[in-house]
Amino acid sequence: MTITSPSSTSSPSDVDGPYLQVEDLTVTFPTQDGPVQAVKGLSYSVELGKTLGIVGESGSGKSVSSMAVMGLHDAKSSEISGSIRVGGTEVVGLAESRMRKLRGNAMAMIFQDALAALHPFYRVGDQLAEAYAMHHPKASKRDGRRKAIEMLDRVGIPQPDRRVDDFAHQFSGGMRQRVMIAMGLINDPSLLIADEPTTALDVTVQAQILDLLQDLQREFNSAVIIITHDLGVIAEMADEVLVMYAGRCVEFGTTKEILTRPEMPYSWGLLSSIPEVGASTDARLIPIPGNPPSLLKPPSGCSFHPRCSHRDKVPGDLCFTELPALTPASNRAGHLKRCHLPNPEEIYRTEVLPEIAPDLAEEIR
Amino acid sequence: MTQDPNAKVGIEASEIGANAAETGDRDLSHRDTDVVDDHEVVHAPLDFHELAEQGHAATALDPDAEPIITIDNLKMYFPVKSSGLVRRTVGHVQAVDGVSFEVPRGGSLGLVGESGCGKSTTGRLITRLYKPTGGSMMFEGHDLAKLSNSEMRPLRRDVQMIFQDPYTSLNPRHTVGTIVGSPLAVHNIVPKDKILPRVQELLEVVGLNPEHYNRYPNEFSGGQRQRIGIARALTLNPKLLVADEPVSALDVSIQAQVVNLLQDLQREFDIAFLFIAHDLAVVRHFCPEVAVMYLGKIVEIGDRDRIYSHAHHPYTQALLSAVPDVKQAAVGGRRERIRLEGDVPSPINPPSGCRFRTRCQFAQEICAKVEPPLLQIGKRHKVACHFAGELGSHPATPVTTDLLAIDDQGTPVAGATPTNEQLTIPGYEKTWYDLKSKQTTGV
Amino acid sequence: MSAQATGPETLGSLSDEPEINDPNSKQAKEISGKSPMQIALGRLRKDKIAVTCAIIVIFFLLVAIFADLIAKAFGVSLDTVTACEVLECNFAEPGVGYPKTGPPFYPFDPAHPFGLAPRTGADNLAHWIYGCRTSLMIAGAATLFSSVVGIVVGLVSGFTGGVVDKILSFITDFFLTIPFLLAALTISPIIIDRFGTSDSYETIQIGSLILILSLFGWMTVARLIRGEVLSLREREFIHAARVLGMPTRRILFKELLPNLTAPIVISISLMLPAFVAAEAGLAFLGIGVTGSASWGQTIANAVPYWSNYPLYLWEPLIGVVALVLALNLLGDAVRDAFDPKTRR
Amino acid sequence: MFAYVVKRLLSGVVVLFLISMSVFLLFWYGPSEPAQTICDNDTSNRCTPARLEVFRENLGFNNPWYEEYGKFMKGVVAGREIQFGSTTKFDCPAPCLGYSYRTKAPVFEEMKQRMPATFSVAIGGAFLYLTLGIPIGVAAARRRGTLTDKALVSSFLVISSIPYYLFALLTWLFLTISWEIPLFSDTGYFPITENPAKWFSGMFLAWMALGAFGCTTYTRYSRGSMVEVLNEDYIRTAKAKGLRDNTVVYKHALRSALVPVITIFGIEFGTLLAGTIFTETIFDIDGIGLWSLQAVAQRDLPVVSATALFAAAVLIISNIVVDVIYSVLDPRVRLS
């Protein structure tokens, strides 16, 4: 047991332009009951050395969008439009053979359920070595094994030279997730997507994994996307946050901005519906009413309006009829929101904050 | 029974399909059976202030409440069979090993810990899904641990349970009316024609449309199903509810709806809760008292303030420091984090002495030799650690030596007699052992 | 604020489709709950192949049930005839023992629409109709018995566990180790000889066949049900029932059994065609039903006449194949309907 | 694993014991007189009641059943002497399964003679349907949802829904009787050691029938299993590593997909080896299956009980082999 000192999450970036650039991404799944638009007009970018957090409920399209970045959607059962540029290469419509060279090499992905995501019949070492050999055709078998042991050691697995010959089911949950991370990082990818990497883990193990991810990112200087529904994880890990709802980006900004001055009622709802370990006991737990919308029949206008408790502050029936554009929030650079409210900053400060965090509201006042 | 207006949280439900699309084509197959209709009572405000009115602050403690259930030295060992020609019992999983606590009438005790620590087993012992290996569970003059299944039956009305998984906790082949009404039918409480009105009343209490009693669970969303499960648990007017991870399978925004509903119900019907969860923040909100479990034992128990702000056990401290904190990060920077190395040891062969010692930075020889007693160190605060102390001020020498008549290495001191008599009492004593003065004191 | 009073009035502001949100509206009442069973049946109704197969199966069922009436309507019967009245009995010439009217050498004879059997002169249509009855009766009864036995064994061994489960599982495995065909071959003649007095020979034969098929048919059901019970037993709704103080019998029959409809329907859908095929197969080997009409027996009789009189073989063969095929395809559709994940 | 195999073998012995006893009892208390068969078969004399009584006495039917069963068991373990009629005595070494009532030949010897035929049929047929069925199934799974896949699956479903013996019967009737195709017309078993070409042409039709029919079912098994595996998370991981499609399918997916198929195959292959009654009857191959059918018709007790024991033993062994293979293929499975 050791005490680690708090650290800053950012490191200077030395590349011109973001490494990953997603523009107007739309992912549609044709189904028997009609097309399901899981992601609609999504744009974002991540620079090397930076972490983007994507947050939203299940069904908000956060996983679908990153699977599209990895090119993991089956071309037969999905339609992808828009543009995804990874390190300057356009990925949408890229030939499968060239896509394969990027996958697992320039970009890698870590999945939520490591037990299901690792092959049950192959030794983890072989699975790691396979990932290495795929993108290093000249490497010998022994190189692959050495690399696998090295990576297992790097992610903090004790006795890596012995455990390299174990199967996935012989590891504990946290160790398994470390194997998953080792596999993702074995080819030193510039882009790492972590899809709910700690959801199934206990808090102490989650803390280990998050620390590990942060250390490794600093070391590899890669661009990281972390997908989660847990704002706490976002708060600790991300430099910037993308809030998704019903397939769309509804708010975007630096982590501090989003967590301290959110300007979209859905973000407020997320903040108000989770209790905090350190918050005042007078803070109220205010849920978001209702359930996430159907993607088959998305609501008209703003997707969030059926659950929004601030829509009567918008003149007319704008929320019902018109989709708000993603516009800059109260004059701060880089903070975008998708909402018709004319004065969200004021509403949050005067109405929402006193209810959900009376202590913080005092401080700001 | 009066209606609490707070119970009806306003809901607009919509057809689902959302979950399926999240993972692309992989889960679309079950979509056509997973249609969610508008089942919830739709008359809550969409005005923020009214909504905020209905939300709750954390539940407060009633220090004078009598205990409704007293658990004393509860044990559950599951046999482990060998894998030879003859299957002998080669050991036991000590899932719960000597746990003692009280749940106050109408109050709630939170049980936290990591997976495998025995908190769910404890819940299942209290509801008698398992018969305990040892110990007692005194509930209104009956020892639940000793009753036979048939003797237990009448008491089941008073002790009910809410389950974790809203998808498997409801029988898919029964209508909501049958599910919620079956407790009445089983216990023959009301005549058959009175069941339906009672069911509808209950559905309304949990915020569902009472007209939808003839629907099947597959037509409801996860949050709505959890409400049905809660209605079923309420049917018999229980005095104690064991809630086993009641919100951990739900979407973030739905969790708050259910937590608020449970708070409403507790206030209205004066139900005591044993609230089992791994989410420390939810437990802090719901429970004025919290017990922390590690490897089948309670390592620290106390009221909210003592556990969350003045934890004395290194494990509790590590657990709390591991929880990511939104507001902390928002204000700037991260809290210090205690990093626990390694994994939880196997409950078949737990470490000797203190079970946490293998991962504890303060562990010394005494920890391997002597198991630390669950010592009362404050008015409502007990901790099981030889080196109990607040974060950053753990003592250098064991605090328990005088009480146990041992020296700093854990060897018994000849001639000395243990002085502490209150080691396994489930509740709290009027006096306690003050760590600073090393004296028994009281207010 | 009481729900009854304010319910409907506050609805409008909440939804873009307020009329459906009204719990008291007509639509809401009409859309009553759909059980998983109803959903499966609905899916089945939309499946064209399933509907076609169901129609074919119903046709055979009707033939079997109204065999007497149909035979009378066509004026045919199983009665034995003096062979030489209808057959060419001249042993010296080629075409020995073939019928004097109808196929294979003469034009269609309306008195015997399916023709006559060579050598015996029996009416093919009558044998076909009663063969259908034999087939469905044996298969249906065997399915019923083995389902009941299998369900009971599976339920008990899955739910009780422990020693009972071990013993029942051993018995199940024991029966699975016995090769069915060989056992049927061995046992059926013995049972028939033992109990078959001359006047009830036919009934005994059918009864013993049903017994044998059931004896070796219940294990798969038992295994399926046991596996299902084992997984259901760990579901939280069973825990919930226990916590509610439900007696074990009620848990078994009210909570578990309804959830076993799918595996039960599925195993029935697998057993029925298998038993139809097995009955005909045993008769084909000369060991099944020999005392009364059976398709398998007719097939065995017809093989030597294949070159000159293929129709004689085709008639029972098409009967068996059509029935088994329809039952199998229907069963496949049923399985899909109950478990959409296995969709083709 | 060793302990497991021993345990399973022991319980297999118990099962065999129970089966042999049941067969024995069935005949003992069965209505028809086994002595009658042997008496009728003794062609040199007519079967008079007096002669029947001699046979009864000699076969031990006048003794209590457990005494005779004891003799039978002793024969299996240590061998024994058997007497037919009043004069002839045979020495029957262990494992003595008795002498056939019909042919008066030692049963064990006869069984050994017939085994190659049955093994030839079963192994050849199984080889054909595996090598056809699995690749077709995998190919269909990769193209799932396409028109080819649908057509293939539904036509195979139809074929595999026909009772096997009718399929085999029609194959035989058309190919040898109606069309008189030369390669197929000479079915039967000829030892491979004497004339491999004749062995091949004699077996060919049986293999074709077994192979064609089995291929349809194995295509469906392997396709279904493959489709399921292709939806697993670890396949997505493999793709995310940047592996080639063929590597993903043949290295990562196929191994998992084959496990359930092999399980089914193991058990069905056991049944095949135990006696392909229909195939042997229709194609007139003198193997275990045909032999057992004839024995049953003739009430030839020693042969029936021998075939029953043989079949059960083969099934037990194939079950154990399947379990062992399973534990080797899937490291998560530990036999206990």
Side-chain angles (χ1 to χ4, degrees):
Chain A
M1 198 158 72
T2 54
I3 296 185
T4 58
S5 57
S7 56
S8 83
T9 50
S10 60
S11 63
S13 113
D14 48 9
V15 236
D16 23 317
Y19 186 76
L20 170 70
Q21 219 161 357
V22 175
E23 259 163 56
D24 200 25
L25 175 69
T26 299
V27 184
T28 313
F29 299 107
T31 70
Q32 284 176 347
D33 306 296
V36 167
Q37 283 206 327
V39 176
K40 290 168 241 179
L42 185 68
S43 305
Y44 63 84
S45 58
V46 195
E47 285 170 26
L48 285 178
K50 293 280 182 190
T51 303
L52 172 73
I54 302 183
V55 68
E57 289 172 282
S58 54
S60 60
K62 48 194 199 301
S63 287
V64 173
S65 61
S66 27
M67 296 262 290
V69 173
M70 291 289 291
L72 286 177
H73 288 301
D74 190 352
K76 275 177 277 180
S77 57
S78 61
E79 289 157 27
I80 298 174
S81 67
S83 154
I84 302 170
R85 297 176 72 82
V86 178
T89 315
E90 176 60 54
V91 164
V92 176
L94 191 67
E96 181 58 27
S97 57
R98 290 191 55 204
M99 188 72 212
R100 215 161 43 221
K101 293 219 166 61
L102 291 175
R103 267 206 297 262
N105 195 15
M107 54 184 175
M109 191 158 177
I110 297 166
F111 299 101
Q112 170 181 355
D113 183 357
L115 182 62
L118 290 168
H119 201 292
F121 297 174
Y122 291 108
R123 297 172 197 284
V124 295
D126 293 345
Q127 296 188 52
L128 284 163
E130 185 185 33
Y132 182 73
M134 192 61 223
H135 300 286
H136 297 81
K138 282 188 195 132
S140 71
K141 261 203 150 152
R142 197 185 298 156
D143 290 343
R145 187 181 164 86
R146 207 177 48 226
K147 183 77 185 170
I149 295 173
E150 183 194 320
M151 284 312 295
L152 289 180
D153 190 33
R154 188 78 138 277
V155 295
I157 289 178
Q159 297 176 300
D161 48 331
R162 271 182 46 209
R163 304 232 60 183
V164 72
D165 289 325
D166 278 353
F167 294 97
H169 68 274
Q170 291 166 309
F171 288 83
S172 69
M175 288 296 151
R176 223 177 271 140
Q177 196 55 285
R178 286 170 192 262
V179 173
M180 201 70 232
I181 292 172
M183 186 141 77
L185 294 177
I186 198 162
N187 290 316
D188 198 358
S190 303
L191 171 66
L192 181 69
I193 301 174
D195 187 355
E196 308 252 10
T198 58
T199 302
L201 304 174
D202 279 320
V203 271
T204 56
V205 183
Q206 164 171 298
Q208 293 170 1
I209 298 291
L210 293 183
D211 282 348
L212 173 71
L213 273 175
Q214 235 161 26
D215 292 348
L216 290 169
Q217 177 186 26
R218 221 169 296 132
E219 199 176 319
F220 287 80
N221 192 37
S222 44
V224 173
I225 297 178
I226 185 157
I227 300 166
T228 178
H229 61 261
D230 188 339
L231 279 178
V233 172
I234 291 282
E236 298 222 331
M237 297 289 292
D239 299 305
E240 288 176 317
V241 183
L242 176 70
V243 184
M244 285 190 77
Y245 188 78
R248 281 203 177 85
C249 166
V250 292
E251 190 159 12
F252 177 81
T254 62
T255 305
K256 195 170 176 188
E257 275 290 314
I258 298 292
L259 295 181
T260 53
R261 301 164 207 263
E263 297 206 353
M264 159 79 198
Y266 177 64
S267 312
W268 301 345
L270 282 183
L271 282 169
S272 68
S273 59
I274 45 162
E276 273 298 310
V277 173
S280 147
T281 44
D282 297 333
R284 283 177 190 275
L285 205 56
I286 307 168
I288 304 173
N291 291 296
S294 157
L295 293 177
L296 271 173
K297 275 195 296 175
S300 62
C302 170
S303 312
F304 187 60
H305 84 258
R307 302 173 75 188
C308 182
S309 52
H310 298 275
R311 65 179 184 211
D312 47 357
K313 300 185 183 91
V314 174
D317 55 358
L318 218 52
C319 291
F320 295 81
T321 55
E322 210 166 300
L323 175 70
L326 199 59
T327 49
S330 313
N331 294 328
R332 265 184 302 269
H335 188 168
L336 303 168
K337 48 117 198 195
R338 195 186 283 280
C339 184
H340 287 304
L341 281 176
N343 52 345
E345 199 196 354
E346 192 188 327
I347 296 174
Y348 182 69
R349 194 161 37 79
T350 60
E351 294 187 33
V352 181
L353 205 55
E355 298 284 3
I356 65 171
D359 44 344
L360 280 185
E362 282 306 313
E363 265 172 48
I364 286 172
R365 219 169 271 161
Chain B
M1 191 169 86
T2 52
Q3 296 278 330
D4 184 340
N6 291 343
K8 288 147 235 137
V9 180
I11 305 299
E12 193 276 338
S14 47
E15 288 189 3
I16 273 275
N19 288 356
E22 170 70 18
T23 44
D25 56 336
R26 303 161 65 85
D27 285 326
L28 285 177
S29 52
H30 71 258
R31 190 173 28 74
D32 43 359
T33 56
D34 205 12
V35 174
V36 173
D37 222 318
D38 319 303
H39 298 292
E40 290 170 39
V41 184
V42 196
H43 49 74
L46 269 184
D47 173 72
F48 180 74
H49 290 288
E50 278 184 57
L51 203 63
E53 283 299 301
Q54 297 184 354
H56 292 295
T59 314
L61 175 74
D62 173 9
D64 303 323
E66 286 294 303
I68 186 149
I69 189 165
T70 305
I71 311 291
D72 194 356
N73 201 20
L74 189 67
K75 285 182 180 161
M76 184 71 213
Y77 293 175
F78 296 102
V80 182
K81 302 272 189 195
S82 73
S83 63
L85 272 180
V86 186
R87 291 170 64 81
R88 279 167 296 121
T89 301
V90 289
H92 285 97
V93 174
Q94 306 182 1
V96 175
D97 190 16
V99 161
S100 305
F101 57 82
E102 285 177 352
V103 182
R105 191 177 290 271
S108 38
L109 175 76
L111 212 50
V112 298
E114 294 179 282
S115 49
C117 71
K119 53 189 196 302
S120 280
T121 310
T122 308
R124 290 177 173 197
L125 286 170
I126 292 173
T127 50
R128 274 298 298 276
L129 280 169
Y130 304 138
K131 193 163 172 131
T133 315
S136 72
M137 308 189 286
M138 294 306 294
F139 177 85
E140 311 226 300
H142 303 274
D143 185 355
L144 301 188
K146 306 236 162 33
L147 296 182
S148 73
N149 277 336
S150 53
E151 288 167 334
M152 184 69 200
R153 192 155 294 143
L155 285 168
R156 292 203 176 275
R157 295 175 57 171
D158 294 332
V159 184
Q160 278 300 311
M161 188 159 184
I162 301 171
F163 294 88
Q164 170 177 9
D165 185 347
Y167 291 88
T168 69
S169 64
L170 305 178
N171 191 335
R173 303 274 159 179
H174 288 325
T175 60
V176 170
T178 315
I179 292 171
V180 177
S182 69
L184 297 174
V186 168
H187 290 270
N188 268 328
I189 295 169
V190 294
K192 275 219 165 88
D193 55 326
K194 291 277 165 32
I195 291 182
L196 183 59
R198 170 74 177 145
V199 165
Q200 292 190 319
E201 186 188 335
L202 283 162
L203 287 179
E204 208 168 339
V205 166
V206 298
L208 291 174
N209 186 338
E211 299 289 319
H212 290 175
Y213 65 90
N214 58 355
R215 302 286 179 98
Y216 287 86
N218 60 15
E219 293 162 282
F220 293 82
S221 71
Q224 293 167 335
R225 288 186 200 207
Q226 201 61 324
R227 288 167 190 263
I228 298 169
I230 292 169
R232 171 178 58 193
L234 287 178
T235 310
L236 296 171
N237 277 327
K239 294 182 179 126
L240 173 65
L241 261 180
V242 175
D244 187 1
E245 304 266 10
V247 297
S248 62
L250 304 176
D251 248 327
V252 191
S253 68
I254 311 297
Q255 284 188 8
Q257 295 175 5
V258 173
V259 170
N260 276 331
L261 171 65
L262 290 177
Q263 280 181 304
D264 288 333
L265 298 173
Q266 175 168 39
R267 282 182 199 180
E268 186 171 329
F269 303 114
D270 201 29
I271 303 171
F273 273 84
L274 179 69
F275 194 94
I276 300 164
H278 65 268
D279 187 331
L280 290 155
V282 171
V283 169
R284 178 176 181 270
H285 184 86
F286 196 83
C287 306
E289 277 189 286
V290 181
V292 182
M293 284 186 77
Y294 184 81
L295 260 185
K297 284 190 182 294
I298 290 181
V299 294
E300 188 159 13
I301 181 168
D303 60 31
R304 179 189 289 132
D305 177 58
R306 299 300 299 174
I307 297 290
Y308 284 86
S309 310
H310 305 281
H312 274 63
H313 197 286
Y315 177 64
T316 314
Q317 290 158 357
L319 209 56
L320 282 168
S321 82
V323 181
D325 191 347
V326 176
K327 279 160 198 139
Q328 184 85 29
V331 176
R334 249 163 59 179
R335 288 173 306 159
E336 280 197 348
R337 179 182 289 166
I338 303 164
R339 198 184 280 191
L340 280 186
E341 304 294 344
D343 292 322
V344 183
S346 153
I348 300 174
N349 256 324
S352 64
C354 171
R355 294 190 171 187
F356 184 60
R357 70 177 164 84
T358 52
R359 303 170 75 192
C360 179
Q361 60 169 345
F362 306 108
Q364 292 182 18
E365 213 181 324
I366 183 175
C367 299
K369 279 188 186 161
V370 183
E371 188 186 329
L374 190 59
L375 187 66
Q376 185 168 347
I377 56 159
K379 195 173 181 191
R380 300 180 77 86
H381 191 185
K382 290 185 187 181
V383 65
C385 180
H386 292 301
F387 298 93
E390 285 203 50
L391 192 58
S393 55
H394 287 278
T397 52
V399 295
T400 50
T401 44
D402 295 351
L403 299 169
L404 299 171
I406 47 175
D407 65 12
D408 286 4
Q409 273 70 48
T411 351
V413 175
T417 44
T419 53
N420 195 303
E421 300 291 322
Q422 41 112 1
L423 299 182
T424 57
I425 285 172
Y428 298 102
E429 286 282 326
K430 294 238 158 38
T431 58
W432 62 87
Y433 185 75
D434 189 68
L435 288 179
K436 284 198 187 82
S437 60
K438 299 211 174 187
Q439 295 294 323
T440 303
T441 55
V443 176
Chain C
M1 184 163 88
S2 113
Q4 286 83 349
T6 52
E9 283 87 344
T10 47
L11 292 167
S13 63
L14 286 175
S15 166
D16 34 352
E17 287 170 299
E19 70 278 4
I20 291 184
N21 268 346
D22 183 347
N24 299 320
S25 77
K26 224 174 140 198
Q27 286 101 316
K29 279 199 175 139
E30 277 172 0
I31 318 164
S32 70
K34 263 192 177 173
S35 73
M37 183 79 176
Q38 288 163 316
I39 291 169
L41 284 179
R43 255 187 237 133
L44 211 53
R45 235 172 272 131
K46 279 186 213 147
D47 189 339
K48 277 189 201 121
I49 295 174
V51 173
T52 320
C53 290
I55 291 172
I56 295 174
V57 171
I58 289 169
F59 165 76
F60 280 105
L61 265 179
L62 291 178
V63 170
I65 294 167
F66 300 109
D68 295 324
L69 284 177
I70 296 169
K72 209 175 268 172
F74 281 102
V76 294
S77 76
L78 287 177
D79 298 342
T80 33
V81 290
T82 317
C84 286
E85 279 175 14
V86 290
L87 301 179
E88 292 169 354
C89 278
N90 190 345
F91 289 89
E93 284 176 28
V96 171
Y98 285 103
K100 283 177 184 164
T101 59
F105 300 126
Y106 303 98
F108 178 75
D109 177 3
H112 305 288
F114 275 26
L116 289 167
R119 208 170 54 80
T120 58
D123 183 85
N124 285 345
L125 180 61
H127 272 263
W128 195 88
I129 293 168
Y130 285 100
C132 175
R133 172 182 271 189
T134 313
S135 184
L136 277 172
M137 189 162 70
I138 290 176
T143 305
L144 183 73
F145 290 137
S146 27
S147 306
V148 170
V149 174
I151 290 166
V152 171
V153 171
L155 260 183
V156 170
S157 88
F159 196 75
T160 35
V163 186
V164 179
D165 179 33
K166 281 207 174 120
I167 293 172
L168 288 177
S169 294
F170 179 81
I171 296 176
T172 312
D173 287 345
F174 175 69
F175 272 92
L176 279 170
T177 319
I178 303 173
F180 158 71
L181 208 51
L182 200 61
L185 288 176
T186 316
I187 301 172
S188 63
I190 291 173
I191 298 181
I192 292 163
D193 284 0
R194 182 93 182 162
F195 301 102
T197 50
S198 53
D199 49 326
S200 61
Y201 188 70
E202 192 184 316
T203 335
I204 291 300
Q205 208 175 31
I206 289 175
S208 68
L209 206 55
I210 292 172
L211 183 75
I212 286 164
L213 289 177
S214 323
L215 201 60
F216 292 97
W218 60 272
M219 296 87 70
T220 40
V221 195
R223 274 199 162 179
L224 195 70
I225 299 288
R226 176 175 174 271
E228 201 74 13
V229 170
L230 282 182
S231 86
L232 282 173
R233 206 173 60 162
E234 293 310 310
R235 298 268 182 96
E236 284 181 343
F237 70 84
I238 297 295
H239 292 318
R242 289 240 192 85
V243 171
L244 290 174
M246 236 181 238
T248 309
R249 199 157 22 93
R250 196 184 162 107
I251 294 182
L252 274 178
F253 291 104
K254 288 256 168 96
E255 299 288 329
L256 274 178
L257 202 57
N259 281 287
L260 297 171
T261 359
I264 289 171
V265 169
I266 286 167
S267 57
I268 288 177
S269 80
L270 288 167
M271 268 194 286
L272 259 182
F275 283 150
V276 171
E279 184 273 322
L282 288 176
F284 172 72
L285 291 177
I287 295 195
V289 174
T290 49
S292 53
S294 159
W295 282 338
Q297 194 196 348
T298 317
I299 291 173
N301 290 341
V303 169
Y305 298 93
W306 166 256
S307 320
N308 289 326
Y309 194 179
L311 184 69
Y312 184 30
L313 181 78
W314 280 122
E315 285 161 2
L317 195 136
I318 286 173
V320 177
V321 170
L323 181 56
V324 173
L325 195 62
L327 282 172
N328 264 324
L329 295 183
L330 184 64
D332 204 61
V334 167
R335 268 163 268 151
D336 278 356
F338 274 96
D339 186 4
K341 269 192 206 152
T342 63
R343 194 167 289 162
R344 275 167 275 158
Chain D
M1 187 156 88
F2 178 72
Y4 173 80
V5 172
V6 171
K7 196 167 147 188
R8 285 287 303 268
L9 282 175
L10 283 180
S11 88
V13 170
V14 174
V15 167
L16 287 181
F17 182 76
L18 286 175
I19 288 178
S20 78
M21 194 140 78
S22 334
V23 175
F24 206 82
L25 282 176
L26 266 176
F27 274 85
W28 206 267
Y29 290 106
S32 60
E33 192 82 73
Q36 187 82 46
T37 320
I38 201 165
C39 178
D40 289 343
N41 267 333
D42 205 1
T43 41
S44 54
N45 295 293
R46 280 189 52 131
C47 185
T48 60
R51 284 190 57 78
L52 183 64
E53 188 49 39
V54 173
F55 278 107
R56 280 187 66 91
E57 180 60 40
N58 283 339
L59 290 174
F61 279 92
N62 290 337
N63 304 332
W65 71 270
Y66 44 85
E67 205 170 288
E68 286 302 306
Y69 185 69
K71 281 189 198 162
F72 171 77
M73 284 311 291
K74 181 187 165 278
V76 173
V77 181
R80 63 171 170 152
E81 257 187 8
I82 290 176
Q83 194 172 33
F84 278 122
S86 44
T87 49
T88 26
K89 269 197 178 174
F90 299 93
D91 183 43
C92 178
C96 172
L97 295 172
Y99 271 65
S100 162
Y101 292 168
R102 195 162 49 97
T103 60
K104 297 206 176 110
V107 170
F108 190 68
E109 290 303 313
E110 272 201 58
M111 190 154 77
K112 274 203 290 194
Q113 271 173 27
R114 284 179 165 82
M115 264 192 234
T118 300
F119 278 57
S120 299
V121 173
I123 292 171
F127 175 78
L128 258 184
Y129 64 61
L130 276 192
T131 47
L132 286 175
I134 291 175
I136 299 178
V138 171
R142 292 184 77 174
R143 287 166 190 76
R144 65 187 177 283
T146 62
L147 207 63
T148 340
D149 173 46
K150 279 179 186 156
L152 195 78
V153 167
S154 43
S155 60
F156 276 20
L157 175 67
V158 169
I159 295 175
S160 61
S161 295
I162 300 170
Y164 164 69
Y165 56 91
L166 293 180
F167 180 84
L169 181 67
L170 285 176
T171 316
W172 179 71
L173 286 174
F174 274 109
L175 293 180
T176 63
I177 310 274
S178 299
W179 302 332
E180 296 182 38
I181 297 173
L183 182 64
F184 302 130
S185 46
D186 198 10
T187 63
Y189 177 72
F190 308 95
I192 185 171
T193 44
E194 286 166 24
N195 188 344
K198 207 148 188 245
W199 169 78
F200 187 84
S201 74
M203 285 288 140
F204 194 67
L205 193 57
W207 289 341
M208 290 293 289
L210 260 181
F213 189 82
C215 148
T216 60
T217 36
Y218 277 85
T219 298
R220 290 176 60 220
Y221 293 151
S222 42
R223 182 191 171 277
S225 168
M226 195 72 186
V227 165
E228 214 162 275
V229 171
L230 285 176
N231 277 327
E232 293 283 348
D233 276 9
Y234 56 82
I235 297 302
R236 186 180 57 182
T237 313
K239 283 184 192 153
K241 282 199 267 187
L243 300 182
R244 279 186 198 87
D245 252 18
N246 281 340
T247 319
V248 172
V249 171
Y250 292 110
K251 188 174 168 199
H252 286 252
L254 189 59
R255 176 154 175 202
S256 321
L258 281 186
V259 169
V261 177
I262 284 174
T263 311
I264 300 174
F265 170 74
I267 288 156
E268 288 199 347
F269 188 63
T271 320
L272 265 184
L273 281 183
T276 52
I277 294 181
F278 281 117
T279 312
E280 290 176 15
T281 310
I282 290 167
F283 300 109
D284 195 25
I285 294 163
D286 197 6
I288 306 264
L290 191 59
W291 187 45
S292 62
L293 183 63
Q294 290 162 348
V296 166
Q298 310 264 2
R299 311 283 191 272
D300 197 348
L301 169 63
V303 175
V304 171
S305 87
T307 48
L309 283 179
F310 170 74
V314 167
L315 283 185
I316 290 166
I317 290 168
S318 63
N319 273 329
I320 298 175
V321 170
V322 163
D323 282 355
V324 169
I325 291 178
Y326 200 106
S327 79
V328 170
L329 283 180
D330 187 341
R332 289 170 300 180
V333 175
R334 287 187 59 219
L335 298 178
S336 62

